[in-house]
């Protein structure tokens, strides 16, 4: 039996990063950027008005007030998107809209609220500071600057910035394709008519959904029967993907053929890990592709996925941070366990003020999928611990990313406003 942490290190060392592909930016949300993005020009490209108002020479209007207004001649009306080619001279102004380029000669903008227009003249009622109400060329982004670095996980603001740089296509790390093969003579497909003694192949669905939730592409290969030839054939098929997951057939029963097959291929790194649920778990590299032989029990396969497959998929996809958020919570009941294995205990979470409280979902058998349905997190109890007491702080891995969401703006209570 291998130690869980050693096993995670061993696996991640062998997982390759995938190559890159070029994508339209709208398909790249959540993907990892493969190239540095440089600005080819300034943003904004030219000095432009931050207000609707009048572009003026500051010298003319610096002392303007309601009692002593300054009168300027209005040369033109300049909407955003147009350029005024002339020069603003002494005692002259251009009516300018937000976003329009500042005409030559002008150095400040008076906001429209401080003016009165009459005929082709304007009365300036207040003198703003020099250079006021102008957005400077390059104040957002400078030409030549690296705006987004390779390795960034692309979020909406990045997509918007790429658009403003006119980068419609970019390089990102490829999305891992993950093949999923269930094994077992007892298994029935989801739409098959129910038969006595059979079990529905639910693992294929929970695993495919876990794969999709990591941003990877699941490929369901269906069921391999407990028979060497069928299994070997379907495993070959699965190795066309980037990762192959099997479920079942890795413990010590007579029909546990995945382990036997891996052993025959001489490519088995380990097949038993010091964790519960999920102790039987086979891992090997076959023709350069990682094969995870996950246990058949529904909860074991999901919890093993969390520990090994999720970080592997993220590494392949170019991510640096591979593990879920983990924090301390206050345990609300005693939990007893035997020494020797790390335990992952499905739990419910409650937040009261700054503190988070954890309680178990009840029965923790590795076949109790309903406990996984309820679970918002996994309490992690160290290998040698035998008792965790109510009131103690325990480490919790957050599974439910919506846990911190609230029905009303949480800042109201955090700011003591309501
Ligand atoms: P195994 O490790 O192959 O002995 O499987 C252990 C148990 O997990 C089986 O007896 C089934 O109850 C369950 N199981 C195995 N494969 C699946 C599957 N694909 N979907 C749901 N349950 C499964
Ligand atoms: Mg089986």
């Amino acid at each position: 039996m291998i130690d869980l942490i050693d096993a995670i290190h061993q696996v991640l060392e062998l997982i390759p990063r995938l190559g890159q592909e070029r994508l339209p930016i709208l398909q790249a949300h959540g993907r990892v950027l493969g190239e540095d993005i440089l600005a080819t020009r300034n943003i904004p490209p030219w000095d432009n008005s931050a207000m609707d108002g009048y572009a003026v020479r500051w010298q003319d209007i610096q002392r303007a007030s309601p009692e002593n207004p300054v009168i300027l001649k209005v040369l033109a009306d300049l909407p955003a998107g147009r350029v005024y080619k002339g020069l603003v001279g002494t005692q002259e102004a251009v009516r300018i809209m937000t976003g329009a380029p500042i005409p030559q000669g002008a150095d400040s903008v008076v906001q429209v609220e401080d003016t009165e227009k009459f005929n082709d003249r304007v009365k300036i009622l207040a003198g703003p500071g020099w250079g006021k109400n102008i957005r400077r060329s390059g104040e957002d982004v400078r030409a030549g600057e690296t705006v987004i670095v390779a390795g960034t996980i692309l979020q909406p603001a990045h997509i918007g910035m790429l658009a403003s740089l006119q980068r419609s296509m970019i390089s990102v790390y490829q999305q891992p394709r993950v093949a999923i093969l269930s094994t077992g003579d007892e298994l029935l497909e989801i739409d098959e008519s129910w038969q006595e003694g059979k079990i529905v192949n639910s693992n294929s669905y929970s695993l495919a959904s876990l794969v999709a939730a990591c941003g990877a592409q699941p490929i369901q290969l269906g069921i391999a029967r407990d028979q060497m030839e069928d299994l070997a054939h379907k495993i070959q098929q699965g190795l066309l993907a980037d990762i192959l997951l099997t479920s079942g057939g890795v413990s010590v029963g007579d029909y546990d053929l995945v382990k036997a097959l891996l052993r025959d291929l001489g490519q088995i790194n380990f097949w038993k890990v010091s964790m519960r649920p999920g102790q039987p778990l086979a891992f090997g590299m076959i023709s350069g592709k990682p094969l995870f032989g996950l246990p058949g029990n529904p909860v074991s396969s999901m919890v093993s996925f969390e520990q090994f497959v999720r970080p592997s998929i993220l590494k392949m996809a170019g991510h640096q941070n591979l593990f879920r958020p983990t924090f301390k919570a206050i345990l609300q009941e005693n939990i007893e366990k035997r020494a020797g294995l790390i335990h992952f205990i499905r739990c419910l979470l409650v937040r009261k003020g700054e503190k988070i409280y954890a309680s178990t979902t009840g029965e923790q058998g590795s076949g109790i999928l309903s406990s996984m349905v309820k679970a918002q997190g996994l309490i992690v109890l160290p290998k040698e611990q035998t008792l965790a007491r109510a009131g103690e702080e325990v480490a919790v891995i957050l599974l439910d990313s919506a846990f911190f969401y609230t029905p009303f703006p949480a800042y109201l209570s955090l700011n003591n406003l309501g």
Side-chain angles (χ1 to χ4, degrees):
M1 182 156 67
I2 183 172
D3 211 62
L4 173 63
I5 299 306
D6 293 343
I8 290 173
H9 280 304
Q10 243 190 62
V11 167
L12 289 177
E13 209 148 284
L14 291 167
I15 298 293
R17 226 166 224 125
L18 294 182
Q20 298 182 7
E21 62 180 330
R22 286 179 72 72
L23 277 189
I25 54 174
L26 262 188
Q27 287 172 31
H29 179 259
R31 299 287 282 272
V32 178
L33 185 63
E35 56 176 331
D36 285 341
I37 302 293
L38 296 156
T40 49
R41 67 168 89 91
N42 279 0
I43 303 178
W46 8 255
D47 290 358
N48 68 96
S49 182
M51 292 281 190
D52 292 336
Y54 290 85
V56 300
R57 299 170 85 105
W58 181 74
Q59 283 225 315
D60 293 344
I61 55 92
Q62 54 179 308
R63 276 184 271 280
S65 68
E67 299 76 40
N68 289 303
V70 172
I71 291 169
L72 303 176
K73 181 177 179 217
V74 180
L75 300 174
D77 219 345
L78 189 60
R82 292 259 293 278
V83 178
Y84 181 70
K85 294 275 166 49
L87 187 80
V88 176
T90 310
Q91 309 298 317
E92 292 176 342
V94 164
R95 170 98 169 104
I96 193 166
M97 303 301 151
T98 305
I102 304 297
Q104 255 192 32
D107 56 20
S108 305
V109 170
V110 182
Q111 63 184 47
V112 73
E113 291 83 347
D114 293 334
T115 66
E116 264 171 40
K117 179 125 199 271
F118 61 102
N119 303 326
D120 63 344
R121 314 222 149 222
V122 63
K123 209 186 257 184
I124 305 291
L125 305 171
W130 181 90
K132 246 337 219 194
N133 300 326
I134 293 178
R135 302 173 185 146
R136 297 294 167 191
S137 170
E139 74 175 21
D140 187 0
V141 169
R142 292 217 157 267
E145 180 187 338
T146 302
V147 188
I148 312 175
V149 294
T152 300
I153 304 167
L154 294 169
Q155 301 295 329
H158 302 116
I159 306 298
M161 178 56 81
L162 289 164
S164 73
L165 296 169
Q166 293 193 295
R167 289 294 307 266
S168 52
M169 301 284 291
I170 47 160
S171 290
V172 296
Y173 284 93
Q174 285 167 18
Q175 184 182 41
R177 291 160 309 148
V178 183
I180 298 158
L181 178 64
S182 294
T183 72
D185 284 343
E186 76 278 29
L187 298 178
L188 201 66
E189 275 304 6
I190 190 166
D191 290 323
E192 274 183 84
S193 53
W194 190 81
Q195 293 166 47
E196 212 170 334
K198 301 286 183 186
I199 290 164
V200 178
N201 173 19
S202 60
N203 287 355
S204 177
Y205 289 83
S206 46
L207 291 172
S209 177
L210 282 166
V211 167
C214 299
Q217 189 192 335
I219 303 164
Q220 286 177 305
L221 296 182
I223 300 166
R225 297 303 167 192
D226 289 328
Q227 184 231 97
M228 263 309 183
E229 221 170 293
D230 191 28
L231 185 64
H233 173 74
K234 290 198 163 121
I235 282 184
Q236 283 309 322
Q237 203 182 328
L239 292 172
L240 297 174
D242 300 307
I243 298 181
L244 173 56
L245 307 181
T246 62
S247 95
V250 286
S251 40
V252 290
D254 289 344
Y255 296 96
D256 289 327
L257 300 181
V258 175
K259 197 173 85 189
L261 194 134
L262 273 173
R263 227 199 227 131
D264 287 353
L265 290 169
Q267 299 294 351
I268 191 163
N269 286 57
F270 54 78
W271 52 275
K272 213 170 168 195
V273 181
S274 63
M275 65 185 275
R276 171 167 295 165
Q279 191 180 11
L281 188 152
F283 172 75
M285 297 290 291
I286 307 178
S287 332
K289 302 286 179 70
L291 186 157
F292 293 90
L294 303 175
N297 279 306
V299 175
S300 308
S301 65
M302 291 188 77
V303 172
S304 311
F305 182 102
E306 283 298 328
Q307 304 315 313
F308 291 97
V309 187
R310 195 167 204 284
S312 298
I313 287 175
L314 292 182
K315 183 177 175 192
M316 273 196 170
H319 288 261
Q320 300 286 339
N321 296 325
L322 309 179
F323 295 92
R324 285 194 186 267
T326 301
F327 49 75
K328 287 215 159 170
I330 299 164
L331 194 56
Q332 291 193 290
E333 62 198 90
N334 289 344
I335 305 176
E336 282 184 58
K337 74 184 251 304
R338 279 216 297 245
L341 302 176
I342 291 189
H343 281 219
F344 294 98
I345 292 157
R346 285 140 267 168
C347 70
L348 296 165
L349 299 169
V350 179
R351 194 150 54 121
K352 288 182 199 146
E354 303 285 276
K355 298 221 153 90
I356 297 172
Y357 295 84
S359 54
T360 73
T361 55
E363 176 55 51
Q364 295 287 312
S366 58
I368 311 289
L369 189 54
S370 59
S371 68
M372 207 60 198
V373 169
K374 291 180 202 145
Q376 294 169 294
L378 294 171
I379 297 169
V380 188
L381 295 184
K383 214 163 136 177
E384 299 314 330
Q385 191 168 1
T386 53
L387 172 66
R389 286 195 175 80
E392 238 175 69
E393 280 197 325
V394 287
V396 172
I397 302 170
L398 185 65
L399 293 180
D400 176 9
S401 52
F403 174 68
F404 286 103
Y405 278 55
T406 52
F408 294 100
Y411 53 77
L412 295 179
S413 55
L414 291 176
N415 289 337
N416 290 321
L417 295 177

